[in-house]
Amino acid sequence: MNEFYVGYLPKAPIGIARRIRAVVVLLFIFAAIAATAVAIVVCRAGPAARRCKSSTQPDGGEGLAMTQGLSPQGRSEGSV
Amino acid sequence: MSHQYQAIGWNRQKRVYDLVVLAGVMLYIALFIGLGALLFPYATAETLIIRAAGSAAFLLLHVVLCIGPLCRLDSRFLPLLYNRRHLGVVTFLLGAVHGIFAIIQFHSLGDKNPLVSLLTSNQNFGSLPDFPFQQLGFLALVILFLMAATSHDFWLRNLTPPIWKTLHMLVYVAYALLIGHVTLGLLQSETSPVLVLATGGGLVTVLSLHLAAGSRERVVDLEKLTSVGKGFVDAGSVESIPEKCAAVVSVSGERVAIFKFDGKISAISNVCRHQNGPLGEGKIIDGCVTCPWHGYQYLPETGASPPPFTEKVSTFHTQIVNGRVWIDPKPNPPGTRVEPSRIPDAGVRV
């Protein structure tokens, strides 16, 4: 394992190139599996998230945060 | 190595690296949003973008954190480290997309400033289920921004390596904040064990790799070297050092890289002036010790970078007695010339 490569050198030794190719392929496979699994799990979990399932916000239950503070429509300017 | 600052000193490796990173991120985002829209048509585009970008940033941060220890354990991973700062910047950009869309969606419709709303709308710091996890994510994003903004060598030079390194070690604080952000946010409402296991698995992987790499370093630090007259210490046999490579020993609390090249032995500090890279894991190329991390170079006799570069590391006096290397534990000032010790009866290989 006496191979050595720094990024500005023209060509990586064959052992290092092979290892990096394998890592990249594995990372791509991992990315595909992770995207699929996380998308399914997170999107399914969405409606129940933050414990505020909302009929108006069924996509993620973010209604809690959205309704915090008084909306601009909820009061008139200058009202007391 | 470059002498002048450029936004990015492009070369073939950097182009390939960035293209691969871009392709990987696009694959993840496209799959996530495509599947999310297909399986859960009620989810809005903004929601899918928030989740896709957030999870991609979190996963990418794990990859960034694993690269360092992987390279210490196996040098064949080094090409991943050469451009790691690009991965860090992409991680920040994904986190920024997540944060900006989240602020717009969750905090921009009230009468408060969205940032004020983000920081003040939830004050339940005493409650685990209702903990204000968004603030944790915001703090992590601020750290990632500072790191991305100062990732260029211009800032490394102007902040000085110790300050720059300290600033960039904050990535571990950002990671801890993000673990809290995910654990106290999404995982509080998650009934499936998949995300809990994935988050825990990621944390265990990052910790294990760091511990494994750290324990390997510790072996070098704990090794006691025999001392003789004049204070020189026995640093091992000449035979054990591969040609144009180094053996690393710990002398008086400092790691020293002892290089063998062309029938000679020279010893310099093991710590690269650029980013504290391990020079002893590098190799002599074109007569210069070459750091394995980013290729900074030093002449083994002087510890100085060849002109026009100005980096310098400490040198150490050496002797060869009965096939063993003896080293003076007292470091010379950086850049001090020390004549290499000739290996008796060594055939010079070029």
Side-chain angles (χ1 to χ4, degrees), chain A residues 1-10 15-16 19-20 23-24 27-28 30-51 57-62 65-66 68-73 75, chain B residues 1 11 13 20 23-24 27-28 31-32 35-36 39-40 42-44 47-48 51 55 59 74 76-77 79-80 82 105-106 109-111 121 129-130 133 186 188-190 192 194-195 245 281-283 285 290-292 294-295 297:
Chain A
M1 208 171 72
N2 200 15
E3 293 180 320
F4 183 78
Y5 176 70
V6 180
Y8 59 70
L9 296 173
I16 290 179
R19 167 62 62 96
I20 295 304
V23 169
V24 168
L27 281 174
F28 269 69
F30 174 74
I33 293 170
T36 306
V38 176
I40 291 170
V41 174
V42 171
C43 292
R44 192 178 55 213
R50 325 290 183 265
R51 298 154 295 283
Q57 291 247 280
D59 63 330
E62 285 88 7
M66 287 188 70
Q68 283 171 344
L70 200 55
S71 72
Q73 293 83 0
R75 63 176 187 181
Chain B
M1 269 169 80
N11 60 28
Q13 210 258 21
V20 170
L27 169 74
Y28 183 90
L31 258 176
F32 191 107
L35 271 172
L39 297 173
F40 307 96
Y42 52 77
T44 64
T47 301
L48 290 174
R51 290 169 183 168
S55 55
L59 285 171
D74 186 339
R76 282 175 294 179
F77 288 104
L80 297 176
Y82 179 68
Q105 181 154 336
F106 306 148
L109 299 179
D111 60 349
S121 60
D130 294 324
F133 66 94
L186 179 66
Q188 290 298 310
S189 57
E190 180 52 64
S192 160
V194 173
L195 286 181
C245 292
E281 292 171 27
K283 194 167 183 175
I285 296 176
T290 305
C291 180
H294 301 96
Q297 292 189 307

Side-chain angles (χ1 to χ4, degrees), chain B residues 14 92 107 149 154 179-180 184 239 268 341:
Chain B
K14 286 186 180 179
F92 161 70
H107 293 281
F154 170 82
I179 289 285
L184 297 168
E239 282 287 303
I268 61 173
S341 300

Side-chain angles (χ1 to χ4, degrees), chain A residues 5-9 20, chain B residues 1-2 8-15 17-18 67-68 71 75 77-87 151 153 274-275 290-296:
Chain A
Y5 176 70
V6 180
Y8 59 70
L9 296 173
I20 295 304
Chain B
M1 269 169 80
S2 67
I8 300 173
W10 289 109
N11 60 28
R12 183 178 175 275
Q13 210 258 21
K14 286 186 180 179
R15 287 194 186 92
Y17 194 105
D18 285 5
I67 287 175
C71 290
S75 62
F77 288 104
L78 277 169
L80 297 176
L81 189 137
Y82 179 68
N83 250 4
R84 184 173 52 172
R85 66 182 77 183
H86 290 208
L87 268 187
S151 63
D153 276 356
H274 178 222
Q275 287 189 16
T290 305
C291 180
W293 283 11
H294 301 96
Y296 272 56

Side-chain angles (χ1 to χ4, degrees), chain B residues 310-329:
Chain B
T310 55
E311 288 79 12
K312 291 173 186 168
V313 295
S314 304
T315 53
F316 293 80
H317 286 283
T318 58
Q319 291 179 353
I320 297 173
V321 181
N322 296 329
R324 297 191 73 80
V325 181
W326 294 80
I327 184 168
D328 184 351

